[in-house]
Amino acid sequence: MDHLSLDTMRHSTAHLFAAAVTELYPDAKLGVGPVLENGFYYDVLTKEPIAQESLKKIEQRMREIRNRGVAFTREEMPIDAAITFFRERGQDFKVELLTDLKTRGTTKIKGEEAQDVDAEKPSIASVYHTGTFVDLCRGPHVENTKQIGAFKLTKIAGAYWRGSEKNPMLTRIYGLAFATQAEIDAHLLMLAEAERRDHRKLGTELDLFAFSPLVGSGLPLFTPRGALLRRLLEEFVLSLQTQYGYQRVWIPHITKAELYKTSGHWDKFEDDLFHVSSKKSDEQFVLKPMNCPHHTQIFASRPRSYRDLPLRYAEVTTVYRDENTGQLQGLSCVRSITQDDAHIFCTMEQAKAEMRNVYKVILGFYKAFGMSLRVRLSVRDPEHPEKYLGGDEAWNGAETALKDLLAEEKLDYSLGLGEAAFYGPKLDFIAKDAIGREWQLATIQLDFNQPERFGLAYMDSDGQEKRPVMIHRAILGSIERFLGILIEHYAGVFPTWLAPVQVAVIPVGEKYLRRCAKLAKTIAAADIRVEVDTANESVGYKIRRAEKMKVPYMLVIGDKEAKSTALMVRLRGQKDVKKMAMSTFLKRVGTENAKRK
């Protein structure tokens, strides 16, 4: 089943769910029910609360309706008639959506999913009939309920209507939908494994990060171990890109609003910005939500010649976005987002070579983690030009340049229609983790619009001013999000080079502390991260603690070990102890660090 028809089936399954709910709960008021990556959710309000144990009953009614073989029938009606139609049926949320569509031409508000209505025809609304059930919807749907495949309702959550705490709290019910039951079963196995690997649980167990209600939701605090992991990732990216001539820059975390008004970000993302007021100035400030406009100002700070190009500005810095509280989730979605960001200013003739070098860095980075990559060419949606900056000529040129690079590198790719950034097309690199989940992480974006909007120029060899091209690139994207993915990818069992503590030295008793400290000093001198467990606990307890912290190597020091020049080495996950000379042990760990194993 292709992606489009699978999405259509999932959309129809959401309607099947709503039809079952209205049969079982006649008073139900329906919110919205968008398609998700592996299924759907639907928001409902009922007088009798829907509990987790009620899901089986709803599933059974869904199967009964599916087996009836009911047709999905589309009907269009004037928007005023649709408002009356749903008001008579007590569907207040549908009436609100239609009223917004009539008065504003859209139902979209800050932070919402795209609504299931047709905003292109504000005078007409479309509804779909499924037997006696009717829902506001633009479609498409399968022809008949018997064409709906396997489904399973999975969980219940609370969600404020339209994401606002001022609105009623609805019950959000999530469901899976696949073509076959075998696919559902495989996905459920993956979810069980994902739960075991949940980075929020492992992050606490491994003492990597924490959250504080006094600091705020979506603002993680990284412990020494977590901060070390961040630094190792930053240094790895830096080591891969240094050979390509990147220069480190630094920008402030606050800026005047005019910067983003000029760049075009303000019109698109004003509601996602943290606004900053000043008692000493009337100027409007915001916390920076992205870095590219700042980097344009470094380029613009002095005259540039073609001899200066390419200029490659890189930094690791935090940006801030006012995400809805309900969307915040561990490190996966935060309000403080640290980016390994870089922007390249070059001529159009240089762009392809620069993008090819970025691609090499991306390949080298993900190879170290054993993650395979697929590529998506994300382009604009020609039916919605209002979503993008710039004209056809700039967009066509940028898309052609990216296609040429893909052809020359002989890369297969999928097309992401409407997935482009608002200022230009991009190559998105989608990584697959150890349990088969895909994550969009690295990106290469080609931008003609920002240089134009900021009036960037360089003096060419012919003495004429010309516009540079701007390439945006990210290797791991958000460090917070990537770290969450990495914790789950390895289930917390980091390879030696990434392990916050690589060697745990465990004294049998207090009298061996001095010997352990001396041993640890020797190991640390070899640039190996080592920790001595000085707690007044049993050896067994200390070993179990090191295993729980997933330390790659453990050295237990007692009478026998103190008298020997060799080391008795416990390897993570193994019961057997290996005897190694000190030099052999240091070489082994050093090699794993150097080769990132």
Side-chain angles (χ1 to χ4, degrees):
M1 181 176 288
D2 62 52
H3 179 71
L4 180 61
S5 56
L6 185 57
D7 273 0
T8 301
M9 190 198 72
R10 286 170 174 158
H11 189 183
S12 300
T13 309
H15 274 240
L16 186 67
F17 164 83
V21 166
T22 54
E23 287 190 9
L24 293 169
Y25 304 85
D27 64 296
K29 295 183 185 296
L30 303 177
V32 295
V35 171
L36 301 177
E37 183 179 1
N38 296 298
F40 63 93
Y41 73 71
Y42 213 113
D43 291 342
V44 300
L45 180 63
T46 55
K47 290 182 180 177
E48 177 191 343
I50 297 177
Q52 188 72 30
E53 53 268 24
S54 304
L55 297 188
K56 288 185 179 180
K57 178 177 68 174
I58 299 172
E59 273 186 19
Q60 181 57 38
R61 184 58 61 92
M62 290 172 69
R63 292 188 184 93
E64 291 174 8
I65 297 172
R66 179 182 62 183
N67 295 339
R68 294 173 197 165
V70 181
F72 283 86
T73 307
R74 179 184 173 96
E75 178 187 359
E76 291 189 353
M77 59 178 69
I79 200 163
D80 286 330
I83 290 172
T84 300
F85 180 88
F86 284 102
R87 181 176 289 124
E88 290 174 349
R89 284 158 178 76
Q91 294 298 333
D92 301 337
F93 301 126
K94 304 294 182 180
V95 170
E96 183 178 329
L97 292 175
L98 285 163
T99 302
D100 277 358
L101 185 61
K102 176 184 176 181
T103 57
R104 298 192 297 115
T106 180
T107 63
K108 187 87 163 98
I109 62 173
K110 176 190 170 185
E112 281 192 312
E113 302 286 347
Q115 296 301 325
D116 217 9
V117 295
D118 193 343
E120 294 184 357
K121 297 178 180 178
S123 63
I124 296 292
S126 61
V127 301
Y128 271 84
H129 298 260
T130 315
T132 58
F133 174 68
V134 188
D135 202 357
L136 176 66
C137 180
R138 66 169 177 241
H141 284 286
V142 298
E143 294 180 1
N144 187 288
T145 55
K146 286 189 175 181
Q147 294 175 305
I148 292 174
F151 53 81
K152 181 175 180 59
L153 302 181
T154 56
K155 63 180 179 179
I156 295 177
Y160 288 109
W161 170 237
R162 309 189 89 174
S164 173
E165 296 178 2
K166 298 177 181 178
N167 291 333
M169 173 69 78
L170 308 187
T171 301
R172 175 167 294 179
I173 300 180
Y174 290 87
L176 297 173
F178 286 85
T180 66
Q181 186 61 43
E183 290 173 288
I184 288 258
D185 293 341
H187 187 75
L188 289 172
L189 283 175
M190 186 275 288
L191 290 179
E193 179 62 17
E195 185 176 355
R196 184 181 75 83
R197 295 167 177 253
D198 190 330
H199 76 273
R200 293 167 295 182
K201 174 174 66 75
L202 289 172
T204 300
E205 291 177 1
L206 299 176
D207 189 23
L208 300 176
F209 59 87
F211 288 91
S212 164
L214 290 178
V215 175
S217 301
L219 300 170
L221 308 169
F222 286 87
T223 66
R225 283 181 167 85
L228 175 61
L229 269 175
R230 291 170 62 102
R231 193 182 77 238
L232 290 170
L233 294 172
E234 294 171 19
E235 290 174 350
F236 184 26
V237 173
L238 183 62
S239 71
L240 292 172
Q241 70 185 23
T242 298
Q243 63 178 306
Y244 298 112
Y246 285 84
Q247 298 173 290
R248 298 296 292 270
V249 296
W250 185 93
I251 60 175
H253 291 246
I254 187 172
T255 181
K256 290 170 60 177
E258 279 73 16
L259 181 71
Y260 294 117
K261 291 178 180 178
T262 302
S263 70
H265 290 92
W266 187 269
D267 291 338
K268 297 286 181 181
F269 305 115
E270 180 185 358
D271 288 341
D272 298 320
L273 306 181
F274 282 105
H275 296 253
V276 180
S277 62
S278 170
K279 294 183 178 179
K280 298 180 180 179
S281 170
D282 293 331
E283 293 179 307
Q284 192 175 17
F285 289 90
V286 295
L287 291 178
K288 65 183 173 75
M290 62 281 298
N291 307 308
C292 39
H294 293 74
H295 287 186
T296 67
Q297 297 311 288
I298 297 177
F299 182 94
S301 64
R302 58 187 299 174
R304 305 292 179 181
S305 163
Y306 71 96
R307 294 187 182 91
D308 299 324
L309 305 183
L311 281 173
R312 309 172 188 92
Y313 297 148
E315 67 174 322
V316 178
T317 185
T318 303
V319 299
Y320 306 88
R321 296 175 187 173
D322 189 9
E323 304 285 358
N324 282 331
T325 304
Q327 295 174 323
L328 301 174
Q329 185 182 40
L331 299 182
S332 300
C333 182
V334 294
R335 285 171 165 156
S336 56
I337 305 161
T338 308
Q339 299 176 325
D340 73 306
D341 216 358
H343 297 94
I344 303 167
F345 299 88
C346 62
T347 68
M348 188 60 208
E349 292 73 24
Q350 296 167 332
K352 196 179 297 180
E354 292 299 314
M355 291 190 294
R356 183 177 290 110
N357 288 340
V358 173
Y359 173 59
K360 291 176 182 177
V361 174
I362 291 170
L363 284 183
F365 183 80
Y366 286 93
K367 182 180 179 181
F369 305 105
M371 291 182 173
S372 61
L373 295 171
R374 67 177 179 88
V375 186
R376 180 180 69 207
L377 173 59
S378 295
V379 299
R380 61 179 173 163
D381 182 351
E383 294 186 7
H384 294 282
E386 73 281 359
K387 294 182 179 180
Y388 309 96
L389 298 178
D392 290 343
E393 184 178 353
W395 276 89
N396 292 338
E399 289 175 7
T400 298
L402 292 175
K403 289 177 182 177
D404 288 346
L405 176 64
L406 290 167
E408 291 176 14
E409 293 295 326
K410 297 182 173 58
L411 293 175
D412 293 329
Y413 65 92
S414 61
L415 191 66
L417 188 65
E419 297 294 329
F422 77 96
Y423 49 72
K426 55 180 179 165
L427 298 181
D428 290 322
F429 294 84
I430 297 153
K432 182 178 287 188
D433 70 11
I435 59 174
R437 296 173 300 181
E438 290 192 326
W439 308 91
Q440 194 277 298
L441 295 169
T443 185
I444 305 173
Q445 304 176 8
L446 193 54
D447 181 2
F448 290 89
N449 282 299
Q450 295 294 299
E452 183 69 30
R453 292 179 75 90
F454 284 107
L456 304 185
Y458 67 92
M459 192 66 68
D460 206 356
S461 57
D462 60 5
Q464 300 295 313
E465 276 197 348
K466 294 185 179 176
R467 285 273 182 265
V469 175
M470 188 175 180
I471 299 170
H472 307 244
R473 81 100 183 97
I475 307 304
L476 56 82
S478 159
I479 290 179
E480 290 79 12
R481 180 168 174 264
F482 183 76
L483 187 51
I485 293 168
L486 207 61
I487 292 168
E488 297 185 3
H489 176 62
Y490 288 118
V493 186
F494 297 113
T496 300
W497 76 275
L498 269 178
V501 177
Q502 297 172 313
V503 181
V505 180
I506 301 173
V508 170
E510 187 175 348
K511 69 178 182 177
Y512 301 105
L513 286 176
R514 183 175 296 178
R515 163 66 175 157
C516 289
K518 183 178 179 182
L519 176 60
K521 186 175 181 179
T522 301
I523 294 171
D527 201 21
I528 296 169
R529 297 185 291 277
V530 59
E531 199 171 82
V532 180
D533 191 337
T534 60
N536 186 23
E537 305 284 356
S538 69
V539 174
Y541 180 87
K542 293 179 182 180
I543 290 173
R544 288 192 296 274
R545 178 159 54 199
E547 288 174 341
K548 185 177 180 180
M549 296 302 290
K550 307 186 190 303
V551 179
Y553 294 100
M554 287 164 273
L555 306 176
V556 178
I557 306 300
D559 281 336
K560 183 179 177 181
E561 293 81 12
K563 295 173 183 176
S564 174
T565 57
L567 299 174
M568 302 305 292
V569 183
R570 282 180 170 268
L571 277 63
R572 179 176 54 194
Q574 298 182 22
K575 291 184 178 180
D576 295 338
V577 177
K578 295 183 180 294
K579 187 176 182 178
M580 293 186 200
M582 173 68 82
S583 59
T584 303
F585 177 69
L586 296 181
K587 182 177 180 181
R588 174 175 176 147
V589 181
T591 299
E592 290 178 349
N593 277 339
K595 294 185 176 180
R596 292 190 167 83
K597 290 185 176 180

